[in-house]
């Protein structure tokens, strides 16, 4: 039946003949500190070695896609905040972009700048929080996560000033943003961006050379790049394996082609590379932020033609995607010309990045499963939707 | 591709000879935590904890929480700007607004809400109601200490509970309130001017008619 | 960069003369036209698109289900090239968005349709070509009820195993026997009253 060369082997080559009586079935989750929420993995162990791992989803399922079919286009915007609640502003942007393509709305230049600035600040939040959580998964409770959250709180203060809420921002609108930057906001953001490298140096000093971290992450969870592309893996995980595929470069949306930044690539794609990719991307995000804040133009922050009430896009469909902090975040919308979407589909990066979790874990120890899951960087609000 | 030349290899930051001196990375990390601990005694930006009930973190002027209704003048119920048009009810994503239009005995709309309820246990603080309102009537509040012991009734805000004066709005969001006030003033002036023009026109027409009548009478005579 | 669909179509038809494909125009401003593929040829077409070096559509980014109770709506969203008779009954559709990572081209939109919405809801699974479809096809099976023949592990993924209906179908009726909280003015409360008449009185 199935002959995909990238499919997981039916039996573990390391232990081809297993005695069913000797196997240990462990249900990891749904209430487990390492699973980042209500996620469960049914793991079968031969001694300490993983021979099978089946993820179980749906504990946070609320059928966001069905809800969106019953409300207007604008009303779905605050729900997108709740997908990946670590980075709501990129979710907003992806959805706004999809509706803009669906209805053919132009975005003014200043709004594009505000979007880039907020999206890159969101990437800072996501990657610093990732480092903290990842270290927490490996048993380094406390320090790294607390330092990361201390810096994150400064960015969240900026977001609160701009959008009115720390996390549930509901900020992007079809054709621009909801409001303009408050007075002095750009200066405060510049100050934060200039102070950020110092914190990154500190965080790197804290963990990068640590022998325990090296031993636990290097050569763990690597897969060949062809398998990763075939498995739909996107974002930092794919680039850690050395595939130069960043949507900001491959399909420059918004105004990303105006900025100079590099796409960091890993070599092997093991958990260590995935951690380092995030550190390098943080520095590139800071480069983008510096340029965007310096070039910020004047002008309208929203297309004056965009409608707030009784918005009806023409009949058609659109798929738009952005490079979210966790990978490719896409929205597929179908309009039948009414005020509600006919079909509203989210392509969640963290859900699809879990496709290969079993392949990555087979033959490794149970303790490595926790590290590998941490390196995928999932948020259950987005996995289960 | 264009950026393949710009790729930074991960091998660059990897420490060379990482097992040469076991434990040095661990010591480096411990130095960072020690510095942080010491700095937390004297550096302002490292003292991040706020002792909540005694101290309060400053709230951003843009901060939004639950909606409130604005009224003009002194009588809260008579001065409500809301016309019960139900646009916010339709656009509200979690459908937490409930509006009944007030009608007189002939069933004619009085353009004011008989019932205006917001279930704040359902409200998700998105602010879309404030955005879509064409009558400048609903805005987002910044009040956040709203805990109650009545889980159902206590979290259902009726129009009496939701009504706030224009002064409250001006104090909460000075910029927004000032902008709204000038816009409403301009609209009001325009309306008054239009009305005055209309009245003047009517007056002129009346006068002209009287004149014509007079002339007609004079001609008759 | 959007792919040149006409060129891809002629290339596929040269290589796979038996395959039935049709170009569908997108009337909206997005202009993302699509290729309607007959279910029997879906896997062969996908394999050809992936393995031809000049096409190299190696990333199956997104797989979506759509429920079309009225075939006329489906033809309005994906307009056929020449006027053809619309399908006799409603159907379920699966939409694939393909990208090429080396060539930076996409999205190439493929659509495949089931025969109807009730019994003949089978479509071939593309997991053999694109591993990324594995969980997404399970999700479509769960929420729409499309049965993917040849899928290695076709189980419900988001709903629980005992669940019977398919929630994203347009004619799905939400159950009213769930635990409710008495939120006033709520349709839930009305439904709950119908469902628990004795409880509502007490």
């Amino acid at each position: 039946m199935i002959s995909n060369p990238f499919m997981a082997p039916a039996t573990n080559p390391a232990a081809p003949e297993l005695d069913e009586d000797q196997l240990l079935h462990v249900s990891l989750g749904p209430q487990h500190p390492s699973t980042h929420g209500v996620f469960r993995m049914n793991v079968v162990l031969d001694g300490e070695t993983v021979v099978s791992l089946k993820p179980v989803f749906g504990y946070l399922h609320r059928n966001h896609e069905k809800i969106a079919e019953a409300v207007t286009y604008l009303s779905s915007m605050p729900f997108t905040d709740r997908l990946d609640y670590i980075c709501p502003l990129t979710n907003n942007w992806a959805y706004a972009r999809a509706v803009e393509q669906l209805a053919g709305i132009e975005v003014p230049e200043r709004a594009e700048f505000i979007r880039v600035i907020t999206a890159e600040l969101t990437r800072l939040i996501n990657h610093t929080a990732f480092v903290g959580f990842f270290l927490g998964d490996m048993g380094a409770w406390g320090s790294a996560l607390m330092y990361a959250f201390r810096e994150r709180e400064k960015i969240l203060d900026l977001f609160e000033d701009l959008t009115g809420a720390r996390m549930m921002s509901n900020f992007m609108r079809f054709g621009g943003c909801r409001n303009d930057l408050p007075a002095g906001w750009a200066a405060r953001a510049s100050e934060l961006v200039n102070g950020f490298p110092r914190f990154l140096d500190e965080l790197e000093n804290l963990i990068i050379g640590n022998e325990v971290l090296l031993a636990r992450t290097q050569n763990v969870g690597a897969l060949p790049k062809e398998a990763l592309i075939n498995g739909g893996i996107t974002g930092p995980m794919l680039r850690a394996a050395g595939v130069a595929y960043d949507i900001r470069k491959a399909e420059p949306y918004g105004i990303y082609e105006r900025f100079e930044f590099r796409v960091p690539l890993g070599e092997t794609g093991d958990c260590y590379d995935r951690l380092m990719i995030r550190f390098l991307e943080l520095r590139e995000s800071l480069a983008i932020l510096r340029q965007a804040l310096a070039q910020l133009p004047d002008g309208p922050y929203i297309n004056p033609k965009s409608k707030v009430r009784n918005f009806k896009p023409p009949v058609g469909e659109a798929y738009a995607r952005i490079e979210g902090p966790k990978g490719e975040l896409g929205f597929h919308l179908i309009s039948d010309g009414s005020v509600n979407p006919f079909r509203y589909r989210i392509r969640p990066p963290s859900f699809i990045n879990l496709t290969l979790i079993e392949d990555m874990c087979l033959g490794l120890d149970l303790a490595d499963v926790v590290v590998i899951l941490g390196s995928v960087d999932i948020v259950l609000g987005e996995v289960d939707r | 591709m264009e950026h393949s030349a710009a790729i930074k290899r991960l091998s660059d930051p990897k420490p060379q000879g990482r097992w040469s001196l076991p434990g040095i990375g661990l010591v480096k990390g411990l130095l960072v935590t020690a510095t942080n601990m010491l700095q937390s005694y004297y550096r302002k930006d490292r003292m991040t904890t706020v002792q909540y009930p005694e101290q309060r973190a400053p709230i951003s002027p843009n901060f939004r929480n639950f909606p409130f209704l604005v009224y003009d003048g002194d009588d809260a119920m008579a001065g409500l700007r809301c016309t019960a048009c139900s646009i916010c009810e339709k656009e509200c994503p979690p459908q937490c607004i409930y509006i009944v239009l007030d009608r007189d005995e002939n069933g004619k709309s009085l353009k004011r809400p008989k019932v205006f309820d917001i279930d704040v246990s359902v409200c998700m603080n998105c602010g879309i109601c404030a955005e879509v309102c064409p009558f400048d009537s609903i805005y987002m509040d910044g009040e956040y200490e709203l805990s109650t012991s009545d889980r159902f009734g206590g979290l259902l805000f009726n129009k009496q509970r939701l009504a706030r004066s224009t002064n409250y709005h001006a104090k909460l969001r000075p910029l927004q309130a000032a902008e709204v006030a000038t816009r409403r003033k301009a609209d009001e002036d325009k309306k008054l001017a239009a009305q005055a023009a209309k009245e003047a026109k009517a007056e002129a027409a009346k006068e002209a008619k009287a004149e014509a009548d007079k002339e007609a009478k004079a001609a008759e005579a | 960069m959007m792919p040149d669909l006409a060129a891809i179509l002629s290339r596929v038809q040269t290589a796979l003369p038996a395959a039935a494909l049709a170009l569908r125009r997108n009337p909206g401003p997005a202009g993302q036209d699509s290729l309607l593929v007959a279910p029997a040829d879906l896997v062969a077409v996908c394999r050809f698109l992936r393995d031809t070096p000049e096409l190299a559509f190696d990333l199956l980014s997104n797989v979506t289900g759509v429920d079309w109770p009225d075939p006329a709506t489906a033809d309005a969203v994906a307009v056929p090239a020449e006027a053809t008779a619309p399908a006799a009954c409603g159907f379920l559709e699966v939409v694939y968005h393909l990208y090429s990572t080396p060539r930076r081209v996409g999205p190439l939109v493929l659509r495949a349709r089931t025969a109807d919405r009730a019994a003949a809801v089978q479509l071939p699974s593309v997991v053999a070509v694109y591993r990324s479809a594995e969980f997404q096809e399970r999700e479509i099976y769960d929420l729409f009820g499309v049965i993917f023949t040849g899928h290695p592990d076709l189980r419900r993924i988001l709903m629980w195993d005992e669940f019977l209906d398919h929630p994203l179908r347009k004619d799905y009726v939400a159950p009213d026997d769930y635990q409710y909280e008495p939120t006033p003015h709520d349709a839930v409360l009305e439904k709950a009253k119908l469902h628990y008449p004795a409880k509502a009185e007490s």
Side-chain angles (χ1 to χ4, degrees):
Chain A
M1 58 171 225
I2 286 297
S3 61
N4 189 332
F6 305 117
M7 212 64 201
T11 52
N12 185 4
E17 280 171 39
L18 293 165
D19 185 357
E20 185 61 34
D21 297 343
Q22 298 295 312
L23 294 180
L24 180 64
H25 291 254
V26 180
S27 175
L28 202 65
Q31 309 286 347
H32 191 272
S34 79
T35 54
H36 294 230
V38 279
F39 176 62
R40 182 170 143 214
M41 291 175 285
N42 282 334
V43 190
V44 182
L45 295 174
D46 173 30
E48 187 72 358
T49 312
V50 178
V51 293
S52 156
L53 184 147
K54 295 287 173 215
V56 182
F57 304 90
Y59 291 94
L60 203 56
H61 181 53
R62 54 213 184 269
N63 223 338
H64 171 39
E65 297 177 4
K66 185 82 179 175
I67 297 171
E69 286 176 13
V71 297
T72 60
Y73 283 88
L74 178 61
S75 297
S76 289
M77 186 61 86
F79 287 119
T80 62
D81 296 337
R82 277 107 177 135
L83 287 174
D84 175 358
Y85 40 78
I86 305 276
C87 19
L89 280 155
T90 44
N91 301 344
N92 281 185
W93 192 7
Y95 178 50
R97 241 177 72 74
V99 178
E100 279 152 15
Q101 287 207 0
L102 188 69
I105 304 173
E106 294 282 315
V107 184
E109 195 186 14
R110 185 176 171 86
E112 292 279 23
F113 269 88
I114 298 176
R115 285 178 175 193
V116 167
I117 291 167
T118 50
E120 294 305 322
L121 283 173
T122 307
R123 209 179 303 277
L124 294 188
I125 289 184
N126 182 70
H127 286 1
T128 43
F130 164 82
V131 174
F133 286 130
F134 187 56
L135 269 283
D137 285 345
M138 276 186 293
W141 285 110
S143 302
L145 186 63
M146 286 302 127
Y147 298 169
F149 268 43
R150 188 183 64 209
E151 296 305 308
R152 171 176 177 261
E153 204 60 35
K154 292 177 187 164
I155 302 175
L156 289 182
D157 283 347
L158 282 176
F159 283 174
E160 187 179 325
D161 271 6
L162 177 63
T163 71
R166 291 165 70 245
M167 287 164 82
M168 300 301 133
S169 53
N170 181 23
F171 181 61
M172 309 286 179
R173 287 292 173 266
F174 315 134
C177 304
R178 195 182 60 205
N179 52 288
D180 206 354
L181 301 179
W185 193 90
R188 282 173 57 207
S190 298
E191 197 185 321
L192 182 133
V193 167
N194 291 334
F196 213 81
R198 194 166 154 227
F199 160 70
L200 283 185
D201 293 342
E202 194 181 86
L203 199 60
E204 281 186 9
N205 270 335
L206 177 69
I207 56 176
I208 290 308
N210 191 313
E211 285 79 2
V212 183
L213 177 116
L214 296 176
R216 290 215 47 194
T217 55
Q218 288 193 336
N219 303 320
V220 169
L223 282 179
K225 39 176 124 166
E226 292 77 22
L228 290 173
I229 295 175
N230 196 272
I233 310 289
T234 46
M237 254 179 99
L238 182 64
R239 291 192 287 276
V243 182
Y245 194 65
D246 186 321
I247 301 170
R248 291 174 295 175
K249 288 276 189 194
E251 185 188 291
Y253 56 94
I255 46 163
Y256 270 113
E257 52 203 345
R258 296 194 201 175
F259 303 121
E260 277 203 17
F261 63 101
R262 299 177 297 180
V263 178
L265 292 185
E267 282 164 352
T268 58
D270 59 8
C271 290
Y272 184 74
D273 277 6
R274 288 182 200 147
L275 175 67
M276 286 310 299
I277 272 289
R278 263 86 176 198
F279 270 110
L280 298 173
E281 283 195 358
L282 279 169
R283 308 238 179 220
E284 298 304 325
S285 283
L286 289 173
I288 298 174
L289 275 170
R290 265 186 226 107
Q291 295 169 49
L293 285 164
Q295 299 168 13
L296 187 67
D298 285 332
Y301 57 89
I302 189 163
N303 188 337
K305 283 188 214 143
S306 70
K307 274 174 89 175
V308 177
R309 290 182 288 270
N310 204 20
F311 171 74
K312 284 182 189 167
V315 177
E317 66 173 338
Y319 178 70
R321 54 182 199 155
I322 67 162
E323 180 70 36
K326 294 185 165 62
E328 174 186 334
L329 175 63
F331 277 83
H332 178 228
L333 299 173
I334 297 181
S335 163
D336 60 349
S338 68
V339 291
N340 301 342
F342 185 81
R343 175 82 177 101
Y344 170 102
R345 148 85 179 169
I346 307 147
R347 187 236 186 250
S350 15
F351 175 61
I352 295 169
N353 283 359
L354 282 173
T355 306
L356 299 182
I357 182 94
E358 183 177 16
D359 305 42
M360 286 189 270
C361 295
L362 284 185
L364 297 175
D365 290 351
L366 182 62
D368 293 329
V369 172
V370 175
V371 176
I372 290 169
L373 182 70
S375 76
V376 178
D377 191 13
I378 58 167
V379 161
L380 264 291
E382 187 177 73
V383 172
D384 288 345
R385 288 165 313 207
Chain B
M1 295 310 290
E2 26 139 4
H3 57 276
S4 58
I7 287 165
K8 190 172 175 186
R9 287 286 158 195
L10 261 188
S11 48
D12 301 346
K14 268 186 195 166
Q16 295 297 312
R18 58 182 79 108
W19 294 106
S20 59
L21 187 53
I24 194 77
L26 197 65
V27 172
K28 256 184 170 171
L30 285 173
L31 277 177
V32 173
T33 40
T35 331
N36 266 281
M37 194 195 79
L38 290 176
Q39 283 176 339
S40 72
Y41 284 99
Y42 63 92
R43 266 187 59 176
K44 264 263 151 20
D45 63 321
R46 300 272 145 125
M47 292 183 243
T48 44
T49 308
V50 178
Q51 304 291 339
Y52 163 59
E54 290 83 28
Q55 301 171 358
R56 264 145 219 260
I59 291 284
S60 155
N62 238 346
F63 173 71
R64 64 181 143 82
N65 201 356
F66 296 118
F68 65 89
L69 294 172
V70 185
Y71 63 87
D72 293 312
D74 295 327
D75 184 0
M77 285 308 102
L80 274 186
R81 285 177 186 170
C82 177
T83 59
C85 67
S86 294
I87 288 177
C88 54
E89 191 183 17
K90 277 190 212 102
E91 290 282 347
C92 175
Q95 312 272 298
C96 70
I97 306 180
Y98 179 79
I99 301 173
V100 176
L101 178 66
D102 201 4
R103 294 175 186 278
D104 63 8
E105 54 273 24
N106 302 327
K108 197 168 160 276
S109 157
L110 291 174
K111 288 206 175 171
R112 63 173 190 226
K114 189 167 158 196
V115 181
F116 194 112
D117 286 353
I118 292 182
D119 190 346
V120 296
S121 64
V122 175
C123 175
M124 58 198 238
N125 324 69
C126 65
I128 281 182
C129 49
E131 213 168 311
V132 297
C133 181
F135 301 101
D136 309 312
S137 145
I138 188 164
Y139 287 105
M140 300 308 280
D141 207 340
E143 192 188 347
Y144 58 92
E145 286 166 323
L146 295 160
S147 58
T148 163
S149 53
D150 181 4
R151 207 172 120 205
F152 303 115
L155 292 173
L156 179 76
F157 289 5
N158 56 19
K159 63 177 179 176
Q160 280 82 7
R161 172 75 175 75
L162 289 166
R164 293 278 187 280
S165 67
T166 41
N167 287 342
Y168 181 85
H169 186 210
K171 218 169 130 191
L172 186 73
R173 298 185 203 285
L175 286 174
Q176 188 191 43
E179 190 219 311
V180 170
T182 29
R183 183 154 43 79
R184 284 182 73 83
K185 185 92 198 326
D187 285 357
E188 197 76 5
D189 288 351
K190 230 180 178 174
K191 227 187 231 169
L192 281 178
Q195 187 138 13
K198 209 172 154 193
E199 269 166 22
K201 215 172 156 192
E203 195 72 15
K206 216 168 151 192
E207 257 168 43
K209 203 174 168 228
E211 202 91 327
D213 283 356
K214 224 189 210 167
E215 266 170 36
K217 250 182 201 168
E220 232 170 74
Chain C
M1 195 172 73
M2 296 287 283
D4 180 4
L5 270 193
I8 292 172
L9 182 64
S10 67
R11 196 185 266 273
V12 175
Q13 276 168 342
T14 325
L16 306 166
L21 280 91
L23 188 70
R24 293 274 170 151
R25 202 171 50 77
N26 182 349
Q32 292 171 352
D33 298 345
S34 50
L35 290 176
L36 180 67
V37 187
D41 310 317
L42 184 65
V43 176
V45 168
C46 283
R47 184 164 280 132
F48 176 77
L49 290 172
R50 185 192 68 181
D51 293 340
T52 312
E54 296 84 36
L55 298 174
F57 284 99
D58 52 353
L59 176 67
L60 172 62
S61 165
N62 182 36
V63 187
T64 318
V66 191
D67 181 16
W68 301 102
D70 177 16
T73 332
D75 280 348
V77 169
V79 185
E82 61 256 20
T84 45
C89 59
F91 49 82
L92 302 168
E93 184 177 62
V94 179
V95 185
Y96 304 84
H97 289 92
L98 301 176
Y99 284 87
S100 167
T101 55
R103 292 176 53 237
R104 309 274 193 267
V105 174
L108 172 63
V109 189
L110 301 182
R111 350 176 62 98
R113 292 172 173 179
T114 62
D116 62 25
R117 299 172 70 240
V121 288
Q122 284 80 13
L123 277 181
S125 165
V126 297
V127 176
V129 187
Y130 295 110
R131 183 80 197 280
S132 59
E134 189 182 341
F135 286 175
Q136 302 190 66
E137 282 183 352
R138 271 179 73 185
E139 189 184 322
I140 294 165
Y141 162 71
D142 187 357
L143 302 180
F144 286 94
V146 179
I147 294 168
F148 291 95
T149 48
H151 190 284
D153 184 20
L154 196 66
R155 287 179 292 137
R156 285 192 179 271
I157 186 164
L158 292 172
M159 309 302 284
W160 54 101
D161 289 340
E162 296 77 21
F163 192 77
L164 290 177
D165 211 342
H166 302 290
L168 270 178
R169 288 206 187 186
K170 292 282 174 191
D171 50 6
Y172 171 74
V173 182
D176 56 2
D177 59 340
Y178 44 80
Q179 286 272 313
Y180 73 98
E181 291 192 347
T183 52
H185 324 307
D186 199 338
V188 175
L189 185 65
E190 295 304 312
K191 276 190 203 165
K193 271 184 190 159
L194 292 175
H195 204 87
Y196 304 107
K199 204 170 169 184
E201 278 161 25
S202 63

